[in-house]
Amino acid sequence: MTRLAVFDCDGTLADGQANVCTAMALAFADAGLPTPDARQVRRIVGLSLPQAVAQLVPYSTPDLHEAVAEGYKQHFRAMRVDGRLREEPLFPGIGDALVALLDQGWRLGVATGKSDRGLRLLLDHHRIAHHFVTLQTADRHPSKPHPAMLHAAIAEVGGAPDKTVMIGDTGFDMAMARTAGARAIGVEWGYHPPHELTAAGADRLCADAALLPALLEMP
């Protein structure tokens, strides 16, 4: 049976929070809203954009949420075009961990709140796109913690929930895994603290990417 390890992107594979915070602040300014607290912005990384904005300004309307989300996309694209994007580096040890998991027979996927284009650019930049056999993004699925991304990834590789592990840094990732019937591993180098990952359903926590290959082999 296929063993599938699905990774979140921002906060798990790569650190993209600086760009996210900058683009969100610009989108809020366009909408006449006060600059959001960067700590709160980091906490909603992983959600689809409209849902993320709704958590930052819950007192507002769905129309405003959509407008701010669209403004965020426009600013992020502009930052990319004019070279203002900061590099989104892979977290230490991630590259080696991916190779080790492939050597152990795991198939790899990504489930992320990023767009298809944003994910592809990041994977290509770091030359790791060839490691992944299934890529699921917010362009085609409801926001986490809805299990649609995991369901699609499992179906695409002919896998099964009980042979699938979701690896992420937020409670949204952990809750998605639990709903889909997959195992959940929370990484401690991302955006949500360990106690929140455990509360959301993490089976295990990982403090160092180098430990992931051994951790995934544990029952």
Side-chain angles (χ1 to χ4, degrees), residues 185-197:
I185 292 181
V187 303
E188 297 184 25
W189 54 81
Y191 304 153
H192 286 192
H195 72 272
E196 290 189 10
L197 301 176

Side-chain angles (χ1 to χ4, degrees), residues 6-16 45 89-92 94 111 144 166-170 173-174 185-191 209 212:
V6 180
F7 287 80
D8 170 56
C9 186
D10 289 331
T12 302
L13 291 176
D15 184 4
V45 170
L90 295 181
F91 284 103
I94 282 293
K144 299 173 185 179
M166 179 67 205
I167 302 153
D169 69 299
T170 72
D173 298 308
M174 304 300 99
I185 292 181
V187 303
E188 297 184 25
W189 54 81
Y191 304 153
L212 276 172

Side-chain angles (χ1 to χ4, degrees), residues 124-211:
D124 287 347
H125 173 75
H126 291 293
R127 300 180 181 179
I128 58 172
H130 61 288
H131 292 328
F132 300 99
V133 295
T134 179
L135 302 176
Q136 307 300 328
T137 77
D139 284 348
R140 288 166 284 112
H141 296 290
S143 179
K144 299 173 185 179
H146 193 287
M149 290 187 194
L150 269 185
H151 287 163
I154 292 167
E156 192 168 324
V157 303
D162 64 349
K163 299 295 183 182
T164 300
V165 180
M166 179 67 205
I167 302 153
D169 69 299
T170 72
F172 313 127
D173 298 308
M174 304 300 99
M176 178 173 67
R178 304 307 294 183
T179 303
R183 281 197 292 153
I185 292 181
V187 303
E188 297 184 25
W189 54 81
Y191 304 153
H192 286 192
H195 72 272
E196 290 189 10
L197 301 176
T198 300
D203 294 294
R204 296 181 185 277
L205 298 177
C206 183
D208 186 331
L211 302 177

Side-chain angles (χ1 to χ4, degrees), residues 17-45 49 52-59 68-69 72 75:
Q17 63 185 348
N19 297 318
V20 170
C21 291
T22 298
M24 192 65 76
L26 291 169
F28 268 57
D30 288 348
L33 297 170
T35 301
D37 186 289
R39 291 169 298 180
Q40 294 303 312
V41 174
R42 293 185 183 101
R43 286 181 58 80
I44 52 81
V45 170
L49 276 172
V53 175
Q55 291 215 6
L56 292 171
V57 281
Y59 51 82
V68 173
Y72 172 92
H75 281 294

Side-chain angles (χ1 to χ4, degrees), residues 70-137:
E70 185 58 35
Y72 172 92
K73 292 179 186 177
Q74 292 175 2
H75 281 294
F76 204 95
R77 292 190 194 108
M79 289 163 61
R80 178 181 291 122
V81 169
D82 64 21
R84 284 182 292 138
L85 279 185
R86 305 178 197 179
E87 181 184 355
E88 299 179 7
L90 295 181
F91 284 103
I94 282 293
D96 289 341
L98 296 176
V99 172
L101 287 170
L102 290 170
D103 288 343
Q104 291 171 194
W106 290 86
R107 304 190 79 187
L108 306 182
V110 179
T112 176
K114 275 186 177 296
S115 65
D116 286 327
R117 185 172 186 274
L119 176 60
R120 178 56 65 180
L121 284 169
L122 184 141
L123 298 181
D124 287 347
H125 173 75
H126 291 293
R127 300 180 181 179
I128 58 172
H130 61 288
H131 292 328
F132 300 99
V133 295
T134 179
L135 302 176
Q136 307 300 328
T137 77

